[in-house]
Amino acid sequence: MTELLQWARYHWQRPIGRTNTDDDERPYSYSSLLACGGKSSQTPRLAGKHRVVVPHLQLFKEEYEKFSGTYVNNRIRTTKYTLLNFVPRNLFEQFHRVANLYFLFLVVLNWVPLVEAFQKEITMLPLVVVLTIIAIKDGLEDYRKYKIDKQINNLVTKVYSRKEKKYVDRCWKDVTVGDFIHLSCNEVIPADMVLLFSTDPDGICHIETSGLDGESNLKQKQVVRRYAEQDSEVDPEKFSSRIECESPNNDLNRFRGFLEHSNKERVGLSKENLLLRGCTIRNTEAVMGIVVYAGHETKAMLNNSGPRYKRSKLERRANTDVLWCVLLLVVMCLTGALGHGIWLSRYENIPFFNIPEPDGHSLSPVLAGFYMFWTMIILLQVLIPISLYVSIEIVKLGQVYFIQSDVDFYNEKMGSTVQCRALNITEDLGQIQYLFSDKTGTLTENKMVFRRCSVAGFDYCHEENAKRLESYQEAASEDEDSADTPSGSLSNMAKPRALSCRTVHSRPLGSISSNHLTGSCFALESREGASEVPHSRQAAFSSPIETDVVPDTRLLDKFSQITPLLFTPTDETIPDPPLETLYIIDFFIALAICNTVVVSAPNQPRQKVGLSSLRGIPIKSLEEIKNLFQRLSVRRSSSPSLASGKEPSGVPNAFVSRLSLFNRMKPASPVEEEISQTSESLQGSDDSACPTEIEKQNSDAGIANGKVEALPGQPLTSSLCYEAESPDEAALVYAARAYQCTLQSRTPEQVVVDFAALGPLTFQLLHILPFDSVRKRMSVVVRHPLSNQVVVYTKGADSAIMELLSVASPDGPGLEKQQMMIREKTQKHLDDYAKRGLRTLCIAKRVMSDTEYAEWLRNHFLAETSIDNREELLLESAMRLENKLTLLGATGIEDRLQEGVPEAIEALHKAGIKIWMLTGDKQETAVNIAYACKLLEPNDKLFVLNTESKNACEMLMDTILKELQKNPASPEQASLSASLHQPPPTLQGSGLRAALIITGKTLEFALQESLQKQFLELTARCQAVVCCRATPLQKSEVVKLVRSHLRVMTLAIGDGANDVSMIQVADIGIGISGQEGMQAVMASDFAVSQFRHLSKLLLVHGHWCYTRLSNMILYFFYKNVAYVNLLFWYQFFCGFSGTSMTDYWVLIFFNLLFTSAPPVIYGVLEKDVSAETLMQLPELYRSGQRSEAYLPLTFWITLLDAFYQSLVCFFVPYYTYQGSDIDIFTFGNPLNTAALFVILLHLVIESKSLTWIHMLVIAGSILCYFCFALAFGAMCVTCNPPSNPYWIMQEHMADPVFYLVCVLTTCVALLPRFIYRVLQGSLFPSPILRAKHLDRLPAEERIEALKKWRGTGQMDQLTSKYADHSAVESERIPIYDPSAVFAVMSATACAVEKGNLPVCETALDSDFSETKASGMAGPSKD
Amino acid sequence: MAMNYNAKDEVDGGPPCPPGGTAKTRRPDNTAFKQQRLPAWQPILTAGTVLPTFFIIGLIFIPIGIGIFVTSNNIREIEGNVFMYYGLSNFYQNHRRYVKSRDDGQLNGDPSALLNPSKECEPYRRNEDKPIAPCGAIANSMFNDTLELFQVGNASDLTPIPLKKKGIAWWTDKNVKFRNPPGTDPLEERFKGTTKPVNWVKPVYMLDSDEDNNGFINEDFIVWMRTAALPTFRKLYRLIERKNDLHPTLPAGRYYLNITYNYPVHSFDGRKRMILSTISWMGGKNPFLGIAYITIGSISFLLGVVLLVINHKYRNSSNTADITI
């Protein structure tokens, strides 16, 4: 409607505007229209923080400099550093880490002469190395970004140049706010700009946003209202408007502002007018726009948050242990300080070896002890593993590499594999205790198949369709081509074969002539389109199964009653039956048009016919336009239009009359329409300069096509392609097409539907109220071409629609009664659908009088143009429109389960993960899907929480809790407090499982503070929880509640924008890159393409990553403590003077070089159990949940072992060399060498699998050590005082005692751990160890053993469930896939019904569905 | 266009993902490495598998231990070359600041370091405005008692036993690490401009009359400069060479040790010792290593037996442990 208005105003103003008589036209301006609506004419004022954009032109030179100078240009710089600031800035950032600061402190400390332990410079080395490694990594990353930035900045676009008065090529980086940009098809938008012109006659422009959000369907954008109807390009020189809009923000779905013309007239701007940087222009020849946000202020860049940083649980655990290490260090240093003080105080005189201060005095023992404390800290600093953090990062990179290269995650269809977006929480995957899953698109395919519908209270079961789907599933292995055959053969069974949907496919507007008309530019385009469009369609609909619907024969019979006569004036004489027929017509029209589906042909871009001709003959003279306009208005007034409709023509409102004048109504009767169409087309061929004419021509082409294709027995290849934002919409449109109600084209102003018996109908699209999750519905406002009424078609969730149905029917009490009946029956059908797991939608309509509509429109305009609280106003406005609805019917759409979902859920359940399903669907649908995907088992005890008040909720929870306590499902679940810190307890014994179903409303109460604890206690006792009707906010609140109160590891998985908040709140967020765009993926830490990949990601990679990393971290602690303690023990023999018996270079390299690579390799490649076994025995995952690999106790045991080993390492050489003439550094050499062997062999003992890489690295480390020691010993004659390594290693290598000492030390040091592992392996093997045994068995034995393993787990509820799996199977079938049984029954029902009276039919139908419903309820509720 | 998308995605930090964009297949390579299926040795530590290890360790260690033990005990017999040590106890030659108090450059004959010793030598760096050579606390505290050994003859006459001064230091120390200042002048000239360490009686160039054992390359000095690892230590003092194979180097009899007492040890409650010892392939006498080997060997053997029992008891379960537990 608004477009129409604009169009009208434009045509008013254009002829006159050119003659500069603006003032005369003021009364007609937009703001005055608002004023006469009776509301306050106050146009929303923009605050100062808003952005003003003025064109970069002479006219605005001063203003331009004032405003635009402050806005950033389009150059982007995503790099953090420049060449100059790299070093300081990188250092600054690195020193944000506490660990680095600590080491810096040590370095500084070493420069204090009194406490210096080593040579000053040397101490810096480890820190420098670590800083350098990280700096190089950062630098490389940054350089890569720099190169990409440069590449992007230098892309070329066409910018209007003031000097040359034309569009010139310019780099992206030189684009500034206020520039005019001209883009051709397939070009990428360089900056956020307001669309001013499109070659599309409707002023729309298609863009592909996959670069931004990954959604591959095309989105429509609209030219700013005033410019919408412009037929030639906006001349930038003449552009005299200024734009005010909000300051840059990152909300992709919001853009508010207005465009103010030089005459102070304002036009509201919305996101529909904004072209976003990074998107691609598609299917539109050329567009022009003015830049409003550039560079970093564009929405794309503001959304570019980069990789996410989370801290994993394991790392948090490690951090506390680092603190313990610090404490240990302090204790050791205190010991040293105290020891030194005591040692000093023993001497009365100054001994030789205690060197006095330069002034000849000696330090007092207390002071010396104090200094010694700091010296000790320097000496023993390695106790805090500086390399730990670097190593962890490297290991995680390696783990991410392996996860991403797992071929099992590769999805052939989408060509995508797993993405790790968060690099540092891989190990959290191995510790998940709670899983929160979305339903649609996550568990299900989100590929909607139309299954059933109910129109005017009659259920149409579409049994042929069901059969076709069945057989398709059976024949799933067949290839794509043969997939068509079953549907074909089945459609033979349908009696009216000619009506099989496949014959109905019609060609789009692009006829041969249109192809001919479009220029060479499109030839190129269509070639590209041919390669791309089918691909994206393939992503949406992998097979014809979703798009082909076999019509229900019963419904088809009723279709045959539809004749154009129904709409002739005589139709009032026909009694009741036509009402139902009318309902059917309305129902299918609603299906076809109540959506935002874009129609396009797969092989060529959707393109207006008249484009090139339009460009060929540009309108030049004012006179021509005037003529044109006059001719138009004359024809309008002659044709029967709104004014002569049902509405009394004498409406005083000038607005409506103007509306009637300028809207491009179709004639009321089809006959008349055709006549006028022909005449118009004749005219059109005469003068194709007018866009309106071309419109007509288009519809003519549509009619022609429709007629040709509607002929029976003339099958055409499917060539209409629907691109829908949600698959439901597409499914409904395809369903409508099956009934010959084909959506032919859609523009912002009109929708053409080819309706079987009625011929093509052109609906004037007055308004679209898009879907949102608050209203849970969407509406279109159209003018019905046949009845000529304003009709609102609403489609939405049943709960949303049912509340809005009109209580009183305007047409009399009889109809009211019928309405009530329809409503009741439809509700019954809806319940039935939901029980079968179908997604239900209600379709309703409302007929409005023109006055009502005009009234509403006025208010709606007001809402649309307000800037500050537009959302609320729009919602209010929608509420005003969507009420007093008349129910037409309901649809049931099947959302099939994804492949492997039940198996994955079963495995995750076995792994001890509690799974919650959070969905916006209704309860029945959710429960059914939950059964289908094995989230609920048939013998589960279901508790439904569905209350209207908080008190009721509390009482119900109490009762359920009591009941659960009566049946002690598991003795472990004694109380909540017990389960607070424990992983989810395993249910044992009786095998009773409980499941909780909770609805959104009740969830609201349960989430309140006072009930939280009770709710959590209840859920802790339930194996599965299903939350239905949950809003996105509730989803995230549930996750937050569980996460913070139970202190468990949570994982949220979802695919849509409504899951984003949940994904962000959970410890790990997983996005499914599926049908609903990439928002979820963008917010996630990991992205997979299918739910079933989750099982391998968690069970295998999660387990591996966790065990690997935790063992590596423990090893690092062990390694450093063991090594540093050697120095500590030596202090007892050197008067606690802080002497190191090792050369400091060796000391440094020991950690940096000789023992750094093996643990990293271990952290990346360690494999305790094979992937196959882990998948087959999900129980093994539980060890990770319980953090078994890294318990606090494990840490202390590791430390104890480290102490023991260091003691052995020190005292075996000590006793060997005691009393001999050995010197300090010669004494240190065997200590070091033995320590190296001990530390490396310790790793070998801990490793569960050793590949050649392990061997190579370990051998390399040892070799490296000896080479270094030998080289150092040979070359360093006087270097590195005082520790002179000269020839020490060489001496030792020739000394048998050295070897004897090393061998003995190594053996004694490792003996306890070795014995422990051996005893553990043979006496009390952990499940992991036992599973490892399985890996070594030959294939057949392994299968046997696996069976036995599972068999012996009978005690385990998990396995008991597995045991009676087969028994359950038969029982479950009716629930799992009820359609099989149902289809047969309903087929007989349908046969009986044929020819029966409607009343009888109804009875049978409802009766039938009732029995069916009870049958359904039986097994599922028990 | 596609390139641009990729670029942007990379800026985002995530790999590119448009399903229809790039034509390249992103299917990961199916290699053993990438799929983490590298052949691996998977040691399983159970009683059964490690049993042989313990027995082998036991079987190897016990003989070695016995060998070492015997060798060590045989050292008492004074045959072959006899080494004469002096021992000091409670002398912390390994004190951090003491250890540092030297200038290796100076000792290596660096002329500049000779006249300008390292700061590490403080406060024994300069004396009376002259650089000390050799500087530092280690040199300053050099052991300076003189030990002489006599054999008491039948008529209480003392036959001095020839003590060899040379050959007591590491060859590399004497020839590479320690060097007198360069030049052909007499030593005294070469050390001109320096002064003796405070505690020394004689300057460094008068340590010995033998040109080859004087100055920095005096072996007593070199030995002292190799700071001991532990507070109770011995240092090689002299060598008593074996004259011929027929007689022991030091035949049984009475000996007389003459000590010129210079070195004060009371200040740190120290003790001096003189040790005479021969050396085997494994150094001086020390029973520890032998006993340790024997002990560990025995323990290992014992553990082997224990494990044998365990293995026997749990054999059935260890192979099929996965099932019963």
Side-chain angles (χ1 to χ4, degrees), chain A residues 746-776:
Chain A
R746 166 185 290 275
T747 68
E749 281 150 27
Q750 62 180 45
V751 185
V752 181
V753 176
D754 184 15
F755 205 102
L758 301 176
L761 304 174
T762 306
F763 288 84
Q764 184 194 347
L765 198 56
L766 302 175
H767 225 98
I768 293 183
L769 295 177
F771 179 84
D772 67 56
S773 55
V774 183
R775 279 162 51 233
K776 290 181 185 156

Side-chain angles (χ1 to χ4, degrees), chain A residues 1103-1215:
Chain A
H1103 175 88
W1104 278 348
C1105 287
Y1106 171 69
T1107 31
R1108 283 166 180 174
L1109 203 70
S1110 45
N1111 285 334
M1112 192 202 78
I1113 290 174
L1114 282 173
Y1115 179 76
F1116 257 96
F1117 282 122
Y1118 148 81
K1119 184 182 94 167
N1120 286 7
V1121 169
Y1123 189 62
V1124 160
N1125 269 350
L1126 294 180
L1127 289 176
F1128 183 66
W1129 304 132
Y1130 189 59
Q1131 300 311 307
F1132 288 88
F1133 303 96
C1134 70
F1136 302 96
S1137 61
T1139 313
S1140 147
M1141 70 292 186
T1142 312
D1143 181 274
Y1144 195 61
W1145 285 103
V1146 177
L1147 207 68
I1148 287 169
F1149 285 138
F1150 197 87
N1151 262 322
L1152 287 184
L1153 225 61
F1154 311 136
T1155 59
S1156 62
V1160 169
I1161 289 298
Y1162 172 78
V1164 178
L1165 294 178
E1166 165 71 354
K1167 201 161 95 174
D1168 53 355
V1169 185
S1170 73
E1172 293 76 35
T1173 311
L1174 282 172
M1175 289 295 280
Q1176 279 156 349
L1177 298 171
E1179 293 88 342
L1180 298 176
Y1181 188 75
R1182 288 168 191 244
S1183 73
Q1185 288 173 333
R1186 276 172 255 158
S1187 303
E1188 269 173 14
Y1190 190 174
L1191 295 167
L1193 187 68
T1194 333
F1195 170 74
W1196 291 111
I1197 288 176
T1198 304
L1199 237 55
L1200 215 66
D1201 193 26
F1203 265 84
Y1204 164 78
Q1205 295 191 7
S1206 68
L1207 274 173
V1208 170
C1209 252
F1210 182 82
F1211 281 101
V1212 168
Y1214 171 81
Y1215 283 115

Side-chain angles (χ1 to χ4, degrees), chain A residues 116 280 412 1108 1167 1216, chain B residues 5 27 36 94 96 229 286:
Chain A
E116 111 188 61
T280 315
E412 298 279 355
R1108 283 166 180 174
K1167 201 161 95 174
T1216 309
Chain B
Y5 281 148
R27 186 194 176 88
Q36 308 191 57
N94 55 10
R96 176 171 54 93
N286 188 345

Side-chain angles (χ1 to χ4, degrees), chain B residues 78-98:
Chain B
I78 314 287
E79 284 170 351
N81 288 342
V82 176
F83 293 77
M84 183 179 186
Y85 297 90
Y86 60 86
L88 288 172
S89 63
N90 247 342
F91 191 103
Y92 284 83
Q93 237 197 344
N94 55 10
H95 189 286
R96 176 171 54 93
R97 278 156 63 203
Y98 180 85

Side-chain angles (χ1 to χ4, degrees), chain A residues 302-333:
Chain A
L302 287 170
N303 264 297
N304 189 350
S305 54
R308 287 143 53 70
Y309 246 77
K310 277 185 182 172
R311 182 143 289 192
S312 70
K313 184 182 178 185
L314 185 58
E315 238 175 291
R316 276 178 270 149
R317 171 96 211 97
N319 277 345
T320 58
D321 284 341
V322 168
L323 290 182
W324 278 114
C325 280
V326 171
L327 192 74
L328 187 69
L329 175 73
V330 170
V331 168
M332 282 163 69
C333 292

Side-chain angles (χ1 to χ4, degrees), chain B residues 44-101:
Chain B
I44 292 187
L45 302 178
T46 57
T49 51
V50 299
L51 206 60
T53 322
F54 280 96
F55 283 117
I56 290 170
I57 289 179
L59 285 179
I60 294 175
F61 272 32
I62 294 174
I64 290 179
I66 291 169
I68 295 170
F69 191 73
V70 171
T71 320
S72 177
N73 278 354
N74 283 347
I75 282 167
R76 200 184 308 164
E77 292 172 37
I78 314 287
E79 284 170 351
N81 288 342
V82 176
F83 293 77
M84 183 179 186
Y85 297 90
Y86 60 86
L88 288 172
S89 63
N90 247 342
F91 191 103
Y92 284 83
Q93 237 197 344
N94 55 10
H95 189 286
R96 176 171 54 93
R97 278 156 63 203
Y98 180 85
V99 170
K100 281 201 300 188
S101 187

